[in-house]
Amino acid sequence: MTDPASWLLEHGENVQYGLFFGLLPLLLVVERILPFRRLPGDAARLRTNAALTLLAVLSLGIVPVSFIGAAMWADARGVGLLNLAALPPGVVIVATLLLRGGLSTLTHWLNHRVPLLWRLHRVHHLDTELDVSSTVRFHPLEMPVNALIGVPLVVALGLSPWVLVIYEFLDVAVTLFSHSNLQVPAKLDRWLRYVLVTPNLHRVHHSSFRPETDSNYGAVFPIWDVVFGTFRSETREPQEAMELGLEDVRGPAAQRLLGLLVSPLYRDLSRLDRRSAGGTEAPT
C-alpha cells in the first residue's frame, strides 16, 4: 500500500493542475454573482490574461528542476537545514510550510526591489483591474527566473518534498481566491487576513499608489509581512473605487499582449505606451 507522502509525490502535479483548472472557472462564475467591484466588460483584457496564463504555465516546462525535485534531491542526500536532524513530523510540516511561504515572500519582494526583476513582474501589475483571470497573468520568463532564485534556497533549507506538495495545493487555491473579485464579509476578512491572504488584503498590493503596491508580498500566508512590517490592510482610498494597476501605462496599452511581452526591454513604460499608440520609440 502506498503511503500518503509517496502518493502526494507521485500524483501531486496532476492534483495541482486539477485544482487550478477546476477552481478557475468556478471562481470566474462566483465573482460575477458576488462581485466586490463592478468591473467593466473588457474582452481584450480577458483575452490577454488568458494568453499570458497559458504562456506562463507552458514556460514552466523550460525549468530543468522544480522546487519539489530539488527538495527530493536534498532529502536523499541529507542536505539542508531541516535534514540535519531527525525532527518530529509536526515540526517538519510547520517549518516547511512557513519557510516555503517565506521563500515566496522573499522572491516577491525581490521582484519589486531589483530593477531587472521588476521589469518582468510589472506585467502582472499592469492589469488595471483585478479578478481571478489576473492570477497567472505573468510574463513567461518570470516563473523560470523565480525558480532559479528559489531552487538553491529550497536545497539549503532542506524543505520536505511531500509537504511542499501540500503547499503547492494551498498556493493554487489561495492565490486564485486572493486575486478574485469576490465580496468577502467584512467580519470574516478581519480575522482571516491574518491567517491566509484574502482578496481585500491582496487588492492593496495591486493599488497604483506605490506605498500600497510595495506591501503584502505573501502569496499564501501573511505572517512574514506581519513580521517584517510590510503588512498593510488599510488603503488611501476605499477599495471599491481605488485605482488598480500602475500609473505608468493605463488603458488599452496595458492589455496589448505583444506590448506586454516586450515591455521588459523598456525601463520607461511611457515610451512603450507611445509606441503602442503608433510612435517609433526604441527600447531603453
Side-chain angles (χ1 to χ4, degrees):
M1 182 176 179
T2 304
D3 64 277
S6 298
W7 188 92
L8 284 170
L9 291 172
E10 183 177 354
H11 301 285
E13 185 176 2
N14 291 334
V15 174
Q16 185 180 350
Y17 279 110
L19 272 174
F20 180 80
F21 289 108
L23 287 175
L24 177 62
L26 175 63
L27 288 171
L28 279 170
V29 172
V30 174
E31 69 182 0
R32 278 156 178 75
I33 299 172
L34 298 170
F36 179 77
R37 288 163 59 103
R38 293 294 174 184
L39 304 186
D42 189 347
R45 173 180 167 272
L46 294 177
R47 285 195 301 268
T48 294
N49 286 0
L52 286 172
T53 295
L54 178 61
L55 290 173
V57 171
L58 291 175
S59 73
L60 290 174
I62 71 174
V63 181
V65 60
S66 67
F67 284 5
I68 294 168
M72 292 175 67
W73 181 91
D75 181 62
R77 291 161 179 78
V79 174
L81 182 64
L82 297 184
N83 291 321
L84 296 179
L87 299 172
V91 172
V92 172
I93 292 171
V94 172
T96 295
L97 290 176
L98 288 177
L99 290 171
R100 176 63 180 87
L103 173 56
S104 176
T105 302
L106 172 63
T107 304
H108 196 172
W109 179 83
L110 289 172
N111 283 338
H112 280 248
R113 296 296 178 179
V114 178
L116 288 178
L117 296 180
W118 172 244
R119 289 194 187 195
L120 292 173
H121 183 63
R122 68 187 174 188
V123 168
H124 185 62
H125 282 272
L126 281 169
D127 200 347
T128 52
E129 289 295 347
L130 189 67
D131 61 15
V132 72
S133 77
S134 311
T135 307
V136 194
R137 175 203 162 107
F138 290 118
H139 192 280
L141 293 179
E142 180 171 343
M143 287 186 175
V145 169
N146 285 345
L148 292 175
I149 297 170
V151 162
L153 293 174
V154 168
V155 172
L157 293 170
L159 303 183
S160 167
W162 70 270
V163 181
L164 282 182
V165 176
I166 295 175
Y167 180 90
E168 296 304 325
F169 295 166
L170 289 170
D171 186 59
V172 167
V174 175
T175 54
L176 283 167
F177 171 63
S178 66
H179 285 83
S180 66
N181 183 38
L182 280 178
Q183 179 76 51
V184 178
K187 288 184 179 180
L188 174 62
D189 184 78
R190 272 196 293 271
W191 67 263
L192 184 60
R193 66 191 179 197
Y194 288 98
V195 181
L196 296 173
V197 178
T198 65
N200 285 351
L201 189 65
H202 193 65
R203 197 176 294 109
V204 177
H205 180 72
H206 279 265
S207 165
S208 66
F209 181 46
R210 195 58 188 254
E212 294 170 0
T213 311
D214 294 335
S215 69
N216 300 343
Y217 296 106
V220 177
F221 308 119
I223 184 171
W224 294 109
D225 285 304
V226 174
V227 169
F228 290 106
T230 52
F231 182 91
R232 186 169 186 150
S233 59
E234 301 300 323
T235 52
R236 182 178 61 170
E237 299 176 358
Q239 287 202 22
E240 292 87 347
M242 74 181 187
E243 184 181 74
L244 302 181
L246 298 179
E247 295 177 349
D248 310 59
V249 177
R250 312 289 307 171
Q255 313 303 340
R256 292 192 177 101
L257 178 61
L258 181 58
L260 292 170
L261 291 175
V262 302
S263 65
L265 299 175
Y266 292 80
R267 182 179 66 252
D268 179 2
L269 280 180
S270 64
R271 298 168 67 89
L272 175 64
D273 198 10
R274 291 194 294 270
R275 186 168 186 255
S276 298
T280 57
E281 297 286 346
T284 182

